[in-house]
Amino acid sequence: MPTTFSSTIHLPFAVQMQQLKSNRQSVETECNVHGLPGQTQIEAAPDCVRIRTTDVDTLAHWLDERGGTVTVTVAGGGFQVWTLHTATLPELPKYPAVPVLVSVLVTDDEQMTPELHDAVRPAAAA
C-alpha cells in the first residue's frame, strides 16, 4: 500500500492533470463503494489525495477501513493537526492504489480513541 509520495514535477502538465483526475476518481469511488466518509473537502494532486475534515470520526473511519499511521503536528493556539497516512485499494490497472492523507484539526485537549493513539507514528529523533 503506497503511503509515500513521489514528485511529479518532471512529468508533462497533461500527464499530471490525468493523474490528478484518476486519483480523485479512485478516492471518490472508494468513498462510495466502501462507505467511507466523503462529505469532506477532497483535494486531489497528481501524487496523492488530501482529505480535510472537521470530524474526528471521519479520521477514525478511514483508519478502521484502510489502516495506516497517524502523525500529530502542533498547530499552535491550542490546536493540533492529526493526519492519517493511508491509501486506497487498487481497483484494476486503471486505478492503482493512491496515497491518501486524511487530516483533522483538533484542540490540544481533545479526547481521541485508543485506536487513533495506537496508530500515531513516533516522532523522528532529532
Side-chain angles (χ1 to χ4, degrees), residues 78-101:
F79 289 97
Q80 299 175 344
V81 178
W82 286 57
T83 301
L84 172 65
H85 302 254
T86 190
T88 62
L89 293 176
E91 302 283 340
L92 308 173
K94 183 177 180 185
Y95 297 107
V98 175
V100 177
L101 299 173

Side-chain angles (χ1 to χ4, degrees), residues 4 8-9 68 70 84 87 100 119 121:
T4 58
T8 59
I9 196 75
V70 174
L84 172 65
V100 177
R121 180 186 316 158

Side-chain angles (χ1 to χ4, degrees), residues 58-112:
T58 298
L59 186 76
H61 193 142
W62 272 87
L63 176 63
D64 186 49
E65 289 292 324
R66 293 292 163 256
T69 58
V70 174
T71 56
V72 179
T73 306
V74 175
F79 289 97
Q80 299 175 344
V81 178
W82 286 57
T83 301
L84 172 65
H85 302 254
T86 190
T88 62
L89 293 176
E91 302 283 340
L92 308 173
K94 183 177 180 185
Y95 297 107
V98 175
V100 177
L101 299 173
V102 183
S103 297
V104 63
L105 182 68
V106 298
T107 59
D108 285 342
D109 59 356
E110 179 103 14
Q111 295 298 312
M112 304 301 266

Side-chain angles (χ1 to χ4, degrees), residues 9-91:
I9 196 75
H10 64 283
L11 297 174
F13 181 75
V15 172
Q16 290 182 41
M17 292 301 98
Q18 181 56 40
Q19 285 181 327
L20 184 149
K21 180 180 175 184
S22 175
N23 288 351
R24 182 175 190 81
Q25 287 175 338
S26 290
V27 169
E28 287 175 349
T29 299
E30 194 96 350
C31 289
N32 293 332
V33 172
H34 300 284
L36 290 165
Q39 66 280 10
T40 55
Q41 290 184 307
I42 297 175
E43 178 186 319
D47 59 344
C48 70
V49 173
R50 293 175 186 87
I51 298 175
R52 290 184 304 266
T53 182
T54 58
D55 186 1
V56 173
D57 290 339
T58 298
L59 186 76
H61 193 142
W62 272 87
L63 176 63
D64 186 49
E65 289 292 324
R66 293 292 163 256
T69 58
V70 174
T71 56
V72 179
T73 306
V74 175
F79 289 97
Q80 299 175 344
V81 178
W82 286 57
T83 301
L84 172 65
H85 302 254
T86 190
T88 62
L89 293 176
E91 302 283 340

